[in-house]
């Protein structure tokens, strides 16, 4: 039996899947046929068709624009492999062509609470990509995203949903305020990616109106000193982000930065120094500097993207 010569749906789907794995661009011409095969009666056929579309999406994501409806429908498939591969195909499409989902946000949103945690996580990742490309595109799913930030089974669902809402917060902060307390709780969870997403979320909210999240001062001060490196780094960036607009709202966090400048991790040290100097240069009276801190900043001057020399010379 030669390639693409299958006599029934299962053979055809498997052969197209083999083609998609070996030559995704060459399989693009068969995308419509694969979409039809997603509705086949045999689970193996449906899984192979979804798998083929997943591989096509990795190379030519826009080729699946007319398949999104069928793939979303497949998320309800009784067969776990078929629905999960459909979820993978949707996520791969969102990675490369998020704007193709514009008409399907409302159809996709209910799957943020699907029974299958794998599907929930994949769908949440789609919304994270959509929000990153344009926060307004996910507003029709905002309530579902809010609920997803407290998913009780799957950390990835919380992480992607929180990340999506962090992007929404930059343009529509009022839409995310109902889950601010949940973000504070997520920032304390021992899950690096979730903590980082929650820190970004809280920084975005605080930049707009720090009074709505008064917890960020103590929280960021704690995390920039006592968390794994990636979270310390995120907290340093967040303190600078909030501090440059509202230094009076993060006094404890700004003080903690002076310690974080001596962090053993060079990335954290540089980020803390950059944040501190940026705020201090904008609001000289908002921070105090010891002789030891001045010396540390001189040492870091060449590695910090902030006016260290200008600040220190102005202090003399």
């Amino acid at each position: 039996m030669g390639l693409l010569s299958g006599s029934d749906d299962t053979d055809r789907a498997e052969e197209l899947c083999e083609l998609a794995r070996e030559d995704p661009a060459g399989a693009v011409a068969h995308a419509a046929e694969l979409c039809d095969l997603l509705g086949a009666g045999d689970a193996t056929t449906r899984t192979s068709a979804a798998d083929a579309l997943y591989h096509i999406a990795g190379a030519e994501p826009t080729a699946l624009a007319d398949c999104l409806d069928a793939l979303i429908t497949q998320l309800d498939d009784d067969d776990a492999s078929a629905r999960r591969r459909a979820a993978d195909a949707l996520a791969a499409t969102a990675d490369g062509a998020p704007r193709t989902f514009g008409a399907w946000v409302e159809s996709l949103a209910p799957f943020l609470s699907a029974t299958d945690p794998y599907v929930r996580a994949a769908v949440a990742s789609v919304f994270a990509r959509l929000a990153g490309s344009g926060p307004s595109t996910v507003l029709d799913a905002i309530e579902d995203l809010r609920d997803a930030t407290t998913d009780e089974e799957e950390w990835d669902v919380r992480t992607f949903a929180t990340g999506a809402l962090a992007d929404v917060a930059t343009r529509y902060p009022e839409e995310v305020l109902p889950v601010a307390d949940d973000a504070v709780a997520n920032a304390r969870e021992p899950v690096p990616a979730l903590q980082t997403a929650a820190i970004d979320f809280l920084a975005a909210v605080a930049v707009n109106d720090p009074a709505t999240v008064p917890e960020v001062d103590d929280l960021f001060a704690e995390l920039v000193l006592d968390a794994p490196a990636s979270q310390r780094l995120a907290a340093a960036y967040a303190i600078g982000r909030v501090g440059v607009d509202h230094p009076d709202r993060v006094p404890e966090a700004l003080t903690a930065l002076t310690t974080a400048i001596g962090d053993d991790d060079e990335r954290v040290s540089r980020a803390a120094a950059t944040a501190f100097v940026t705020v201090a240069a904008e609001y000289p009276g908002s921070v105090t500097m010891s002789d030891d801190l001045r010396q540390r900043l001189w040492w870091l001057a060449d590695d910090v993207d902030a006016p260290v020399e200008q600040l220190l010379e102005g202090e003399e």
Side-chain angles (χ1 to χ4, degrees), residues 38-227:
L38 287 174
D42 180 74
T44 300
T45 302
R46 299 195 302 273
T47 301
S48 294
D51 191 31
L53 290 170
Y54 163 75
H55 288 287
I56 292 173
E60 300 284 347
T62 56
L64 268 62
D66 293 332
C67 297
L68 296 183
D69 189 22
L71 286 167
I72 292 170
T73 299
Q74 209 62 32
L75 297 178
D76 262 333
D77 198 293
D78 291 337
D79 183 80
S81 295
R83 65 175 177 264
R84 291 179 177 186
R85 213 51 178 150
D88 290 337
L90 288 166
T93 303
D95 279 345
R99 296 193 180 277
T100 60
F101 282 82
W104 304 108
V105 168
E106 289 188 68
S107 300
L108 190 60
F111 291 98
L112 285 166
S113 56
T115 303
D116 187 339
Y118 188 99
V119 169
R120 295 201 305 276
V123 171
S125 77
V126 169
F127 279 107
R129 294 294 185 185
L130 300 189
S133 69
S136 63
T137 63
V138 303
L139 291 180
D140 287 338
I142 201 72
E143 292 186 10
D144 299 275
L145 284 167
R146 290 174 191 155
D147 291 341
T149 63
T150 55
D151 190 287
E152 296 183 357
E153 284 188 282
E154 181 57 58
W155 291 117
D156 282 348
V157 177
R158 288 198 196 190
T159 300
F160 287 126
T162 300
L165 292 179
D167 285 317
V168 172
T170 63
R171 293 274 302 279
Y172 309 96
E174 70 282 356
E175 297 289 351
V176 306
L177 288 180
V179 294
D181 288 343
D182 295 322
V184 172
N186 281 334
R188 297 186 184 281
E189 294 287 1
V191 182
L194 176 58
Q195 278 193 305
T196 298
I199 291 168
D200 289 344
F201 172 100
L202 291 167
V205 173
V207 165
N208 177 71
D209 185 359
T212 60
V213 280
E215 303 92 339
V216 298
D217 187 23
D218 288 339
L219 177 65
F220 289 171
E222 172 189 335
L223 293 176
V224 79
L225 298 178
D226 187 19

